[in-house]
Amino acid sequence: MLEASLGEGTDIFRLNRVSPVVTLTCPHRFSETFAALGLMWKSHSHPFRDLYLPSYVEYLVAMVLSDWHEAGASPRPVELCAIQDQFAEVIQFMAEHLGEEIRLADLATQVHLHPNYFHRVFKHAYGMTPQHMLRSLRLSTARTLLETTDDPVESLALRCGIGDARYFSPWFRQGVGTSHRTYRARSREVAHSYLSIDLSDSTV
């Protein structure tokens, strides 16, 4: 079973019940990116290795998900589903309503369970509470927005469900370990370097 973590245990392939076989529309690009990932993995002295590695992995996963979606998004057969799959719609609900206040009762309603029972079985399935999962998704969204947009902090806070921009910076630093400004600057530098990387150079 292929797994790809969004951070803190959030598996992309639980959020999306991807079928066991996905036909890639551009296998050459996938192979090149995979090769670049392998080279960077070996480049322990590269100053931005820790930023390159997740970027490559996310790009590979994005290609798989995009091609799966374009092909009709056929779900994984029931016999191949794990216990976590039963809450896929709950996590999807979280992802689609990050900018809103989400209560435990709202999540439990998605699967017609009592909130207390839902809390227990969700934690058993994922090893974290629903609130912890929601925080993980919000942090993942914040990282993506910082990497791909020039949106101000006020907009980021609203879209991630933080609300007040004054709390966004300490919230992000606590969750990621660096300031949102530093994260955005480093991400831009990695993206620029990625465009000029020489895949034929075994030392990267």
Side-chain angles (χ1 to χ4, degrees), residues 42-56:
K42 299 175 183 177
S43 302
H44 299 283
S45 61
H46 196 287
F48 300 113
R49 178 176 181 268
D50 291 342
L51 286 173
Y52 267 113
L53 291 177
S55 297
Y56 285 136

Side-chain angles (χ1 to χ4, degrees), residues 6 10-17 65 68-69 84-100 102 106-107 110-111 118 122 126 133-134 137 141:
L6 280 171
T10 312
D11 182 6
I12 296 174
F13 294 104
R14 297 297 181 210
L15 298 180
N16 302 273
R17 287 176 53 190
L65 290 176
W68 169 69
H69 187 268
Q84 294 89 345
D85 291 313
Q86 65 182 302
F87 295 120
E89 63 268 36
V90 175
I91 300 176
Q92 188 63 41
F93 177 85
M94 293 182 189
E96 293 175 353
H97 297 82
L98 290 180
E100 306 171 17
I102 301 178
D106 299 326
L107 300 176
Q110 302 301 310
V111 284
F118 166 73
F122 188 99
Y126 288 98
M133 177 70 80
L134 180 59
L137 290 172
T141 298

Side-chain angles (χ1 to χ4, degrees), residues 97-101 138 141-142 145-146 149 151-172 180 184:
H97 297 82
L98 290 180
E100 306 171 17
E101 179 184 358
R138 283 177 165 150
T141 298
L145 292 173
L146 286 168
T149 75
D151 291 355
V153 174
E154 291 77 11
S155 176
L156 298 178
L158 287 174
R159 294 178 67 178
C160 295
I162 305 306
D164 195 325
R166 293 175 298 175
Y167 301 131
F168 181 85
S169 185
W171 170 81
F172 187 85
H180 68 277
R184 173 172 271 168

Side-chain angles (χ1 to χ4, degrees), residues 29-50:
R29 182 176 59 181
F30 186 93
S31 297
E32 284 187 340
T33 306
F34 191 84
L37 171 64
L39 293 176
M40 185 57 68
W41 178 262
K42 299 175 183 177
S43 302
H44 299 283
S45 61
H46 196 287
F48 300 113
R49 178 176 181 268
D50 291 342

Side-chain angles (χ1 to χ4, degrees), residues 17 39-41 76 80 113-115 119 175 177:
R17 287 176 53 190
L39 293 176
M40 185 57 68
W41 178 262
R76 188 160 54 248
L80 295 180
L113 295 176
H114 187 279
H119 185 277

